[in-house]
Amino acid sequence: MDVWATGEASAALGFEAARVFDQLDPLEHRRAEVLEQRGLTGSAVLKSRRQISKDAIEFSGRYPPRTDGRCGHRIRFAR
């Protein structure tokens, strides 16, 4: 019984991974297009991502945390 349950869980995980990949693949293609349009390659991409992350943290810090229990962890995990 345990072997069957393990196989079932593994299959479910594999199918979910495939669904997530299908959702992310178009985003990766769009990301590559934007980077190409901006002429960013190599370390310039990393510098750009760092600046975007800093801007996002600064932007979200402008608003007080929600008190209704939704999205209260948005800054805690951003680095």
Side-chain angles (χ1 to χ4, degrees), residues 31-47:
R31 175 183 166 268
E33 289 173 7
V34 169
L35 291 174
E36 185 178 324
Q37 289 171 356
R38 295 181 181 179
L40 297 174
T41 59
S43 63
V45 172
L46 295 175
K47 287 180 183 179

